[in-house]
Amino acid sequence: MGKEGTIMATAKKKKHSFPSAYTVIIIVLILVQALTFFIPSGKYSTLEYNSGLNKFVITEASGKTTKESATQKTLDKYKIKIKVSKFKDGTIYRPAAIPNTYHEIKKPKRGVFGTINQFLTSQVQGIVDSVDIIVFILILGGVIGVVNATGAMNSGMMRLSEKLKGKQKWLIIIVTSLIALGGTTFGLAEETIAFYPILIPIFLLAGYDTLTAVAAVYLGTAIGSMSSTINPFSTVIASNAAGINFTDGMPMRILMWIASVGISIAYTIHYAEKVRKDPSKSLVADQASTDKERFLGDMDLTTKSDFTMRQKLSLIVFALGFVVMIYGVQQLGWYFTEIAVVFLAVTYVLIFTAGLKESKFVDSFVSGAGDLLGVALTVGLARSVGIVMEKSFVSDTIMHYFSNQISGMNNVLFICVLFFVYIVLGFFIQSSSGLAVLSMPIMAPLADVVGIDRSMIINAYNWGQGLIGLIAPTGLILVSLAMVKVGFDKWLKFVTKLLIMIVILILIFLTVGVLIK
C-alpha cells in the first residue's frame, strides 16, 4: 500500500472510531431528554416516615402534604403491605409509592432555553451530587501516584508475577468470586474502582489484557449484585417494601449466584486464555503496547529488582487501606466520605514510609490524582441522566404504564415480562434501593393477582435491574472502562454473548420458580 493509501486507511479508521465515555453519556442524556417531551409527566402519591414528628407524611401528586399517625392501620388504609416497624427502624428510608394513586401532572414548561439550561445544569448538578465519590477517586489516584513513585508497586508486581506462573486462571477465579461475594452480601459496587490500578498490572504480567481485568472485576460487581442474597440495598429493602421477609426465596437466589458467577468466570477464562496464548485474539490488541507502557511503565521484566523495606512498608500501608475500607463498608455502613478519609489517612502515613522528598511526594500525589480526573468526571456526568428523569417526572409514568400492561397475564408470562420491565426501569432508575421502594408497593400486589409468590417479584427485580448494569451507560460500566482506557464498543463486543447466556439462565430460573411454587 502506498503512502496515499495508508493515509486514507488511517483517516477511515479515525472516522469510524467509537465515541469516548463522555460522548456516550452525553448522547444518552440527549436521547433521554428528548424522550421526556413525549412521555407524559406523572406521579404516585408517596408515604414517608418523619421520625421527628413520629408521623407518616403523605405527599400527593399535586404536592399537597398531610400527616397521619405512624401506625399499621394507616399503612393498611393505603394498601401498603409493609410492617410499620420497617419505617421506624430506618429499613425503609425512602418515600414509598402508594398503589392506585398515579396521576398525570402538568409537564414542566421548558422551551428551547429551558431545555438547554436543563441539559447543562443537570451535568453540573450530577458532578455536585457525586462529589463524595469524586473526592474518593482523586485521593485514591494521589495515593497510587505516591506508591508508584516509591517503586513499591513495580517490585511487588514482579514478585507476584513469579508466583502466578502456571496459575493464571486462579487470578480470575479468586478476584471475580471474592468481588461477587461482596456484591451479593453488602452491595460492593463503586468501591471496586479502587481495585483497578492494583489489578491491571497483575493481569498484564499474567499475560492477559486490560479487558480481562475489567471483566474479572466488573462481572464480579455486576453479577454479584444482580444475584443478591442478603444485599441490604436491593434484596432486603425490596423484600421489606414488598411486605415479605428477605429470606423468602433464598435457596433460588443462592443457586442463581452460583450458576451466574460460575458462567461468568468460565466465560472470562475462555477469553483470557485465548489472549494469553495468542495476543492477537485480544479485543484491545490495537492498544496492547500503549497499555503496557501506561500500566507497567519502565518495569524491567528480565532483571530482578530489590524489594526494599520501605517499599514493603508502603505496600502494607496501602493494602491496609483496602482492608479498613471493606470492613467499614460491610460492618459500619460507610460510604464514600468515610472511605475517602481512610485513604487520606493512608496518604499521611506514606509521608513517613515512602522516603520521598517533599516536592517529589506532592508532585506524585497531584500527578496521580490528575490521572483519574477523567474517571471522576465520568461519574458526575452519568448521574445527570437520572437528574433529568427526576426533574421531568417521567419515571412514575413508565412504571405505571408497565404495571398496567402486565397485570392481566398468566403467571409464567407475567414473571418473564416483569423481568424485562425491570431491565427497562433499571436503565432509567440506577438506584437499586430507590427503584425497590418506588416499584414494590405497586408490583408486589400483582403477584397476588396472578397467583405467584411475592419472592418471585423480588427475583425479577434483582435480576432485571442488576443485569442491565452490564451495559447501561448510566451505571458503573463507563467509569470502570475509563479506568483502563477501554472503549465501550470493545466491552459490548466482549459481553454480548454472556449477556444472552445470563438472560436465558434467568428466564429458566423464573419459569421453574413459578411452576414449582
Side-chain angles (χ1 to χ4, degrees):
M1 184 184 289
K3 185 177 179 181
E4 185 178 344
T6 304
I7 293 172
M8 289 179 65
T10 304
K12 185 176 180 181
K13 185 177 179 181
K14 287 182 179 179
K15 182 180 178 181
H16 296 290
S17 61
F18 198 83
S20 65
Y22 308 109
T23 306
V24 170
I25 293 172
I26 296 302
I27 290 171
V28 172
L29 177 61
I30 292 170
L31 291 175
V32 168
Q33 196 151 29
L35 281 174
T36 62
F37 283 96
F38 301 99
I39 301 174
S41 296
K43 291 178 70 177
Y44 282 95
S45 297
T46 60
L47 178 147
E48 185 176 14
Y49 177 65
N50 186 309
S51 58
L53 300 173
N54 192 28
K55 295 276 189 180
F56 283 131
V57 178
I58 315 299
T59 304
E60 298 178 10
S62 62
K64 179 184 175 182
T65 61
T66 55
K67 298 179 181 66
E68 297 202 31
S69 300
T71 62
Q72 196 66 48
K73 187 177 179 181
T74 300
L75 294 175
D76 292 340
K77 171 186 173 182
Y78 289 104
K79 299 180 180 178
I80 296 177
K81 305 297 182 183
I82 306 174
K83 292 180 180 179
V84 68
S85 60
K86 297 301 179 183
F87 286 93
K88 293 186 175 183
D89 66 13
T91 302
I92 305 294
Y93 54 89
R94 292 174 177 267
I98 300 175
N100 304 316
T101 59
Y102 174 81
H103 283 93
E104 283 193 23
I105 62 174
K106 190 175 181 181
K107 190 171 286 294
K109 288 185 177 180
R110 285 179 294 188
V112 176
F113 292 108
T115 301
I116 294 173
N117 180 62
Q118 186 185 62
F119 173 73
L120 298 174
T121 303
S122 65
Q123 294 172 58
V124 174
Q125 190 62 50
I127 294 172
V128 171
D129 290 353
S130 307
V131 68
D132 53 349
I133 305 179
I134 290 172
V135 169
F136 158 66
I137 290 172
L138 294 179
I139 291 176
L140 173 67
V143 172
I144 292 168
V146 171
V147 175
N148 280 335
T150 65
M153 198 74 80
N154 286 359
S155 297
M157 296 304 169
M158 284 296 296
R159 297 297 183 276
L160 187 59
S161 67
E162 293 170 8
K163 298 185 180 296
L164 279 174
K165 287 179 180 177
K167 305 173 185 175
Q168 292 92 334
K169 293 178 185 178
W170 282 101
L171 181 60
I172 297 170
I173 295 170
I174 292 170
V175 168
T176 304
S177 297
L178 289 177
I179 292 176
L181 191 62
T184 193
T185 53
F186 63 92
L188 184 67
E190 289 94 342
E191 297 86 355
T192 56
I193 292 171
F195 299 147
Y196 287 108
I198 305 166
L199 292 174
I200 294 166
I202 299 174
F203 275 84
L204 291 178
L205 288 171
Y208 299 138
D209 60 7
T210 51
L211 189 56
T212 304
V214 176
V217 175
Y218 192 74
L219 290 181
T221 299
I223 300 297
S225 297
M226 180 202 81
S227 50
S228 167
T229 50
I230 58 172
N231 182 350
F233 305 108
S234 55
T235 299
V236 175
I237 195 170
S239 298
N240 285 316
I244 62 174
N245 193 294
F246 75 91
T247 58
D248 292 354
M250 187 63 71
M252 179 168 282
R253 290 174 199 143
I254 292 172
L255 287 175
M256 172 56 75
W257 185 89
I258 294 170
S260 57
V261 173
I263 289 172
S264 300
I265 289 173
Y267 186 86
T268 304
I269 289 175
H270 176 71
Y271 168 79
E273 285 298 299
K274 281 198 307 182
V275 170
R276 189 174 66 83
K277 293 171 183 176
D278 182 2
S280 67
K281 300 288 185 183
S282 170
L283 292 175
V284 290
D286 58 327
Q287 60 187 65
S289 58
T290 307
D291 287 337
K292 287 179 180 178
E293 184 179 346
R294 179 184 296 119
F295 297 110
L296 298 179
D298 55 0
M299 188 184 299
D300 187 353
L301 304 179
T302 59
T303 59
K304 219 171 187 178
S305 59
D306 292 331
F307 198 11
T308 66
M309 183 55 67
R310 279 193 179 277
Q311 290 175 338
K312 290 176 182 177
L313 280 174
S314 296
L315 278 183
I316 290 170
V317 169
F318 187 46
L320 283 175
F322 288 90
V323 173
V324 174
M325 177 190 81
I326 293 170
Y327 175 80
V329 171
Q330 185 179 17
Q331 300 295 327
L332 306 176
W334 285 359
Y335 203 54
F336 286 99
T337 299
E338 293 86 354
I339 298 171
V341 169
V342 170
F343 281 96
L344 185 60
V346 168
T347 305
Y348 280 99
V349 176
L350 286 173
I351 291 174
F352 301 101
T353 63
L356 299 175
K357 291 182 179 179
E358 182 271 338
S359 58
K360 176 69 173 175
F361 187 96
V362 172
D363 288 346
S364 299
F365 184 91
V366 172
S367 177
D371 289 340
L372 295 188
L373 179 60
V375 177
L377 291 175
T378 303
V379 173
L381 287 178
R383 174 76 183 94
S384 64
V385 177
I387 292 173
V388 169
M389 294 283 293
E390 292 166 12
K391 299 293 184 184
S392 303
F393 303 105
V394 297
S395 300
D396 287 21
T397 301
I398 294 171
M399 189 174 68
H400 175 69
Y401 171 79
F402 282 129
S403 65
N404 284 341
Q405 295 302 309
I406 64 177
S407 58
M409 296 177 177
N410 72 66
N411 53 13
V412 173
L413 183 60
F414 167 84
I415 200 66
C416 291
V417 173
L418 183 61
F419 160 65
F420 288 106
V421 167
Y422 270 114
I423 286 178
V424 176
L425 292 175
F427 179 87
F428 290 109
I429 307 171
Q430 281 290 306
S431 168
S432 58
S433 58
L435 179 57
V437 178
L438 176 66
S439 67
M440 281 304 149
I442 311 300
M443 297 299 190
L446 298 180
D448 305 332
V449 175
V450 299
I452 64 174
D453 195 279
R454 287 194 176 196
S455 67
M456 294 303 298
I457 304 292
I458 307 301
N459 291 341
Y461 149 82
N462 262 338
W463 302 342
Q465 64 90 22
L467 187 67
I468 192 60
L470 285 175
I471 58 172
T474 50
L476 190 59
I477 182 58
L478 287 185
V479 179
S480 300
L481 294 174
M483 290 290 293
V484 294
K485 310 290 184 184
V486 171
F488 189 44
D489 56 328
K490 305 287 179 64
W491 173 254
L492 291 177
K493 191 172 181 179
F494 167 80
V495 83
T496 299
K497 289 180 182 177
L498 176 63
L499 193 65
I500 295 170
M501 292 164 63
I502 299 295
V503 167
I504 294 171
L505 177 70
I506 289 171
L507 292 176
I508 291 172
F509 265 67
L510 289 174
T511 301
V512 171
V514 167
L515 294 178
I516 64 175
K517 292 200 175 190

